Amino acid sequence: MSHSYVNKAIPKVDYKALVTGKAVYTDDLAAKDCLFVKVLRSPHAHALIQEIDTTRAQMVPGIECVLTYKDCPDKRFTMAGQTYPEPSPYDRLILDQRVRFVGDAVAIVAGYGKEAVNKALKMIKVKYEVLEPILDFRKAKDNPILVHPEDNWKSLCPVGADNKRNLCAHDTCSEGDVDEVINNCEYVVDQVYHTKANQQSMMETFRTYTYMDAYGRLNVISSTQVPFHVRRILANALDISKAKIRVIKPRIGGGFGAKQTVVSEVYPALVTWKTGKAAKMIYTREESLIASSPRHEMEVHVRIGADKDGIIQGIDMYTLSNTGAFGEHGPTTVGLSGHKSIPLYGNAKAFRFTYDVVYTNVMSAGAYRGYGATQGLFALESAVNELAEKMQMDPVKLREKNMVREGQVMPAYYGETANSCALDRCMARAKEMMDWDNKYPCRDMGNGKVRGVGVAMAMQGSGISSVDTAAVAIKVNDDGVYSLMIGATDMGTGCDTILAQMAAECLDCSIDDIIVHGVDTDSSPYDTGSYASSTTYVTGMAVVRTCEVLRDKIALKGAEYLGCSVDDVDFDGEKVVNIQTGESISRKEIGNRVMCANQDTLFASEAFTSPVSPPPYMVGMAEVEVDKETGELELIDYVAVVDCGTVVNPNLARIQTEGGLAQGIGMAMYEDVVYNAKGKNYSNSFMQYKIPSRLDVGTIRVEFESSYEPTGPFGAKSIGEIVINTPSPAIASAVNHAVGVKVRELPITAEKVFFGMQK
């Protein structure tokens, strides 16, 4: 079946604005004369504020207010943008007497102009009682030093959290007797893998503009992925009614999960609520690097066993996750490290997956593309590559014997069946593109350099099953033009475009006839937000359902105007035709006629939630060149083949894949967060925290193997997160094939490779 718009490379609906620099972002919308908000940040990793003197700061000309913990509600909340009741514990105050990491908020200063605010920040005098911090996440559980000793800490969901044990979450699940199964295996790998806290490093830093409207409501314009969650979080934090808050999401300059946490919103909101005056907060890059919501650092212990034929029999994983000072996304990211890695191996007879998420005195973590699956897949895929080496088997062959296939029930994936799975075809295609058989395991280039190849598989989900909900609304305007109102957030991913493509497909009209209206919590239908790879799959289905209902309404109205029964008409997208007589009325005419003497609204709004989360799959292959003298490595070629069901827009899917791979390559080779012995974060600029440019990622080649997902719109699954997961294990394996060095702690740097070769 050929489509007019779906599976076509339609340019983004907002491309003209973007390429001409006309796109409007949060800071463009802020009033010129609004208050400028900054936060005084703690120099200590763990301390109690004994005294705080703001008198001199308040005397600086242009300063409106200086707020401390005494000016804030004593009501705990979470900044995690999650569905209510949130699994993340309520462990924060806007300002607290206890500071829990270097960079934690101590006071809020608001004034006219940056100079005045920066001057006032220097004049605040704080006397701290410095406490011993817990900085090593391996020692945090049941440590006598408590990050959250307070009595009003609370956990709304049974996630195994206990603040008196520094535990943000704990769980275990298993099938079969994994110890017995692994002990009886011919080949066993038992190793620990360590991934660091990575920064999302989106171009637009965190920023929020707040003002009171004429009706006494707090209006919040923010660069966020989760407008509806922001409304609830702010109502909790300020202890006011949700009805008093309106959140508007303009254009976003990237999010990658960072903006699924309310990083900047509470500070200007408190200022505006207290003073009645408009305020804005714009994070500097330094603030974004030291006090934001990076990926959770995880240490994953993997035991995996295979029989003599190479069939993987048992997988045992234990993940220790570092949530940092607060529990944002702590209980939810960690599950993906096992539930989005173990199911790749469909023949396993037994598995066990256990995790602990601990509080420590470093910057708190949050959501980042891949959301825990990235960390788990680095561990499991590296272990599988080590297993192949032990068996002296090609790691591609090992995977071909063990990978999950269409129609199989996936282990550790909540009993779900792989209804659509082209993983086998992805592997075959990647192998061909890389010329794997000729390049594996390595080739000596004769100039002191060796080239090695490595492979990894990955999976993700499409939305959170039985949780994520999306609704859209479509109305018919004069001239029969449609307005598509969505609550999902386009953060550069192009969801406004693909949802318009689906609507145009369903309504048989031109994409130019669909006006996409972005998010305003007052007028948009409810959507949980843009995260968990949910938009194409979940919001896409809401579009399909809404269009079906609207088509029926248009047909009914057309039949009324034609004076016949609705059973006698057909709506082809442009006109309603009486099949008996051939008489017709155009959509344009219907749109104009309903503006006068009419009892029916040509408007539809439907919601969708899914009991399943069909995984997209992917195979990644890397070719690296290692200098035997220095250990320096260069990525020569990266090949990716993705199964995301039906590709809705091949161009947008391709650039999402390339972008995700670049981030994954950065995680594998460059990005490192370094703290000193007292918990100060040294990775506070792009001079220290290295992210790759286009020149650093080598050649990236992307192809798609489509499958058909029966529960998705037009057979589509998600694309957003799957793409970041394969570089770390594939590059690590390529380095090992080249020079025999196994790097189990990211990033894979020249010094680690060099010292590994010396051993």
Side-chain angles (χ1 to χ4, degrees):
M1 173 183 171
S2 85
H3 296 303
S4 312
Y5 286 104
V6 166
N7 203 224
K8 298 279 192 291
I10 307 291
K12 280 189 180 183
V13 290
D14 50 359
Y15 79 94
K16 279 185 190 149
L18 288 169
V19 296
T20 56
K22 289 193 172 74
V24 177
Y25 297 84
T26 300
D27 199 21
D28 300 323
L29 293 165
K32 291 260 181 291
D33 58 350
C34 73
L35 291 167
F36 193 76
V37 177
K38 285 284 256 196
V39 168
L40 179 70
R41 299 189 179 279
S42 165
H44 305 294
H46 197 194
L48 286 171
I49 298 168
Q50 288 183 321
E51 287 166 38
I52 187 161
D53 183 358
T54 61
T55 40
R56 283 185 63 209
Q58 282 168 335
M59 286 156 73
V60 173
I63 292 301
E64 177 70 30
C65 65
V66 181
L67 304 172
T68 70
Y69 70 90
K70 294 170 186 155
D71 303 300
C72 297
D74 186 26
K75 187 181 170 211
R76 300 268 161 193
F77 65 97
T78 176
M79 285 190 181
Q82 295 174 313
T83 303
Y84 182 83
E86 304 94 331
S88 296
Y90 280 20
D91 55 13
R92 272 194 192 260
L93 299 175
I94 299 175
L95 295 171
D96 202 329
Q97 191 174 359
R98 180 182 294 266
V99 289
R100 294 177 175 83
F101 70 98
V102 176
D104 205 353
V106 173
I108 302 169
V109 178
Y112 295 99
K114 280 182 203 179
E115 292 73 25
V117 171
N118 286 333
K119 192 173 174 187
L121 282 170
K122 293 191 180 92
M123 297 196 169
I124 300 171
K125 287 216 167 9
V126 191
K127 193 174 161 198
Y128 295 99
E129 180 194 339
V130 180
L131 306 169
E132 196 187 334
I134 174 80
L135 297 172
D136 183 349
F137 75 128
R138 295 174 190 88
K139 296 176 183 163
K141 185 177 162 181
D142 295 322
N143 195 295
I145 301 166
L146 290 182
V147 180
H148 284 279
E150 64 272 7
D151 291 332
N152 61 352
W153 176 97
K154 66 177 178 200
S155 173
L156 274 60
C157 294
V159 293
D162 184 349
N163 61 320
K164 301 294 197 250
R165 298 182 61 199
N166 282 335
L167 267 183
C168 176
H170 165 80
D171 194 22
T172 184
C173 71
S174 61
E175 222 169 87
D177 186 339
V178 79
D179 292 322
E180 193 192 357
V181 167
I182 291 178
N183 290 340
N184 288 327
C185 282
E186 194 82 9
Y187 300 98
V188 177
V189 167
D190 183 337
Q191 285 296 345
V192 175
Y193 303 88
H194 182 197
T195 60
K196 305 282 189 71
N198 303 115
Q199 286 288 351
Q200 297 87 347
S201 309
M202 59 283 157
M203 274 203 284
E204 182 197 30
T205 60
F206 303 94
R207 48 198 58 197
T208 304
Y209 167 57
T210 54
Y211 63 94
M212 298 300 288
D213 66 17
Y215 307 102
R217 292 175 77 216
L218 177 66
N219 281 238
V220 179
I221 295 176
S222 195
S223 184
T224 179
Q225 294 170 226
V226 285
F228 285 95
H229 294 330
V230 169
R231 180 173 65 181
R232 178 179 65 249
I233 293 165
L234 287 178
N236 274 344
L238 297 167
D239 207 7
I240 60 177
S241 147
K242 280 195 200 122
K244 290 266 185 227
I245 302 174
R246 172 191 186 191
V247 179
I248 297 163
K249 180 237 44 129
R251 179 84 212 166
I252 301 186
F256 309 115
K259 294 170 183 174
Q260 199 196 329
T261 302
V262 174
V263 174
S264 58
E265 284 85 347
V266 293
Y267 308 111
L270 180 69
V271 168
T272 296
W273 191 250
K274 290 264 184 199
T275 63
K277 297 183 177 176
K280 74 173 181 184
M281 184 167 195
I282 308 287
Y283 266 52
T284 61
R285 181 58 65 184
E286 181 180 358
E287 286 175 300
S288 293
L289 287 166
I290 63 160
S292 54
S293 52
R295 191 185 287 293
H296 287 75
E297 174 185 22
M298 289 186 193
E299 191 170 80
V300 185
H301 183 179
V302 182
R303 283 197 312 146
I304 184 170
D307 65 15
K308 62 179 190 313
D309 302 321
I311 305 300
I312 293 170
Q313 303 287 320
I315 303 172
D316 187 8
M317 290 177 80
Y318 169 71
T319 302
L320 178 66
S321 175
N322 184 3
T323 195
F326 301 99
E328 269 88 32
H329 300 278
T332 39
T333 45
V334 69
L336 278 69
S337 68
H339 294 300
K340 298 275 160 71
S341 57
I342 298 168
L344 281 170
Y345 295 96
N347 303 321
K349 290 197 181 71
F351 77 85
R352 178 170 56 207
F353 172 43
T354 309
Y355 59 75
D356 286 312
V357 183
V358 292
Y359 283 116
T360 57
N361 292 113
V362 298
M363 161 176 44
S364 74
Y368 182 4
R369 187 181 211 158
Y371 204 79
T374 319
Q375 296 94 308
L377 284 159
F378 169 61
L380 184 59
E381 287 301 280
S382 292
V384 170
N385 285 330
E386 292 190 37
L387 186 68
E389 191 178 5
K390 264 197 172 168
M391 301 174 65
Q392 298 179 323
M393 187 189 277
D394 181 332
V396 168
K397 288 205 173 67
L398 181 63
R399 285 179 173 81
E400 284 169 345
K401 282 179 178 238
N402 287 287
M403 66 171 67
V404 68
R405 294 183 187 254
E406 199 157 283
Q408 264 188 317
V409 173
M410 294 173 277
Y413 202 68
Y414 314 106
E416 280 189 38
T417 299
N419 289 321
S420 59
C421 174
L423 195 51
D424 50 350
R425 297 203 303 280
C426 291
M427 183 64 81
R429 184 72 193 108
K431 195 175 164 179
E432 212 173 291
M433 288 166 73
M434 183 51 88
D435 191 16
W436 178 270
D437 289 342
N438 288 319
K439 290 180 179 175
Y440 167 78
C442 64
R443 297 176 296 156
D444 197 318
M445 306 310 284
N447 55 356
K449 294 182 176 182
V450 185
R451 288 190 179 182
V453 287
V455 62
M457 304 191 302
M459 60 180 284
Q460 198 75 37
S462 301
I464 305 170
S465 58
S466 305
V467 172
D468 281 348
T469 296
V472 301
I474 306 178
K475 62 177 179 173
V476 180
N477 305 313
D478 343 18
D479 279 359
V481 178
Y482 298 105
S483 285
L484 168 61
M485 275 129 357
I486 62 173
T489 305
D490 194 332
M491 45 176 159
T493 44
C495 75
D496 289 2
T497 307
I498 57 164
L499 296 173
Q501 281 177 259
M502 291 185 198
E505 190 72 50
C506 295
L507 294 166
D508 286 312
C509 69
S510 157
I511 200 159
D512 298 331
D513 288 344
I514 292 173
I515 303 156
V516 186
H517 179 71
V519 195
D520 174 344
T521 55
D522 276 6
S523 58
S524 301
Y526 181 79
D527 192 298
T528 39
S530 296
Y531 58 91
S533 306
S534 59
T535 312
T536 301
Y537 179 74
V538 184
T539 314
M541 278 308 281
V543 169
V544 172
R545 296 176 72 166
T546 303
C547 291
E548 284 167 1
V549 173
L550 189 62
R551 285 192 75 117
D552 291 346
K553 289 189 174 184
I554 295 168
L556 191 63
K557 202 73 203 167
E560 185 192 313
Y561 289 149
L562 290 171
C564 64
S565 155
V566 71
D567 297 334
D568 292 338
V569 299
D570 179 47
F571 174 48
D572 65 4
E574 289 305 321
K575 56 191 181 303
V576 175
V577 186
N578 179 339
I579 306 157
Q580 311 295 339
T581 65
E583 203 188 342
S584 70
I585 180 168
S586 70
R587 185 179 89 230
K588 178 176 179 175
E589 200 177 329
I590 294 171
N592 288 331
R593 274 181 75 175
V594 293
M595 302 294 155
C596 189
N598 172 40
Q599 306 269 23
D600 313 295
T601 55
L602 287 188
F603 171 93
S605 181
E606 296 293 317
F608 178 74
T609 185
S610 175
V612 294
S613 176
Y617 300 94
M618 175 171 175
V619 171
M621 286 185 178
E623 182 176 17
V624 301
E625 184 171 89
V626 184
D627 185 323
K628 287 196 286 192
E629 237 170 76
T630 63
E632 192 184 352
L633 61 147
E634 188 189 343
L635 182 62
I636 302 294
D637 191 13
Y638 202 93
V639 162
V641 187
V642 186
D643 159 23
C644 56
T646 300
V647 182
V648 180
N649 187 318
N651 279 4
L652 296 186
R654 179 176 307 279
I655 57 168
Q656 278 237 50
T657 308
E658 290 175 1
L661 286 170
Q663 287 182 317
I665 290 163
M667 175 181 177
M669 297 171 63
Y670 304 106
E671 300 175 36
D672 202 0
V673 176
V674 181
Y675 284 95
N676 76 1
K678 290 194 165 162
K680 181 179 161 57
N681 185 349
Y682 281 147
S683 313
N684 60 356
S685 80
F686 285 147
M687 295 296 285
Q688 279 80 22
Y689 185 80
K690 300 287 188 195
I691 60 168
S693 73
R694 192 70 192 84
L695 302 173
D696 299 311
V697 293
T699 307
I700 293 178
R701 296 184 289 143
V702 174
E703 288 195 11
F704 296 93
E705 279 292 336
S706 61
S707 61
Y708 186 86
E709 174 49 51
T711 65
F714 303 99
K717 298 187 286 194
S718 77
I719 182 73
E721 293 179 281
I722 177 74
V723 294
I724 201 170
N725 295 331
T726 56
S728 296
I731 292 168
S733 182
V735 168
N736 181 39
H737 287 152
V739 290
V741 175
K742 294 179 180 63
V743 180
R744 300 190 183 100
E745 178 186 71
L746 297 179
I748 305 157
T749 57
E751 31 292 58
K752 286 178 190 170
V753 176
F754 177 82
F755 288 120
M757 287 193 292
Q758 304 313 303
K759 279 177 191 162

